[in-house]
Amino acid sequence: MTTFDDRERSYEAKFAHDADLRFKAEARRNRLLGEWAAQMLGKEGEEARTYAMTVVTSDFEEPGEGDVLRKVVSDLDGKSDETAIRAKMAELLVEARRQILEEN
């Protein structure tokens, strides 16, 4: 095996690892966002957990985070605006990444 082959495998493994971490962080961010939105909607306990999971699953409708944003903006109509929700999503992505890295 050549050094080039080793390097190529290393890059492929890193790419796969980074993609996995990105997926986990985005899913965690969506759950955290769902929990935050549930609190704003006055949901507690199992109802809040169920709502948070609907936010997570809404991300599977199309590529990107637009589907999640639309759902939460629609659900929080009158309680929060799109700009505030986008800011919360960015904040929670940082938190989700931190949590994922601490778990690994």
Side-chain angles (χ1 to χ4, degrees):
M1 192 139 312
T2 66
T3 302
F4 181 76
D5 291 335
D6 290 342
R7 184 178 291 168
E8 184 177 11
R9 280 201 183 92
S10 175
Y11 284 131
E12 288 172 358
K14 181 176 178 354
F15 179 81
H17 177 71
D18 289 350
D20 184 52
L21 287 177
R22 187 171 39 255
F23 174 79
K24 288 178 181 178
E26 288 173 0
R28 176 80 53 98
R29 185 254 343 250
N30 293 341
R31 182 180 56 80
L32 294 171
L33 181 68
E35 292 170 356
W36 171 78
Q39 184 179 25
M40 291 190 69
L41 293 168
K43 298 178 186 291
E44 296 178 350
E46 190 59 36
E47 186 181 22
R49 282 187 287 284
T50 300
Y51 175 78
M53 290 311 298
T54 66
V55 173
V56 171
T57 57
S58 73
D59 193 25
F60 301 127
E61 293 174 12
E62 63 185 46
E65 61 187 26
D67 40 6
V68 173
L69 180 64
R70 277 192 304 280
K71 175 179 180 29
V72 176
V73 166
S74 174
D75 292 348
L76 293 180
D77 187 36
K79 293 179 175 34
S80 188
D81 63 6
E82 184 174 337
T83 303
I85 295 168
R86 280 185 188 276
K88 192 65 172 178
M89 288 176 78
E91 173 189 328
L92 292 174
L93 184 57
V94 171
E95 174 62 17
R97 285 180 181 147
R98 185 192 62 73
Q99 289 178 8
I100 297 292
L101 291 174
E102 284 181 359
E103 291 172 2
N104 290 332

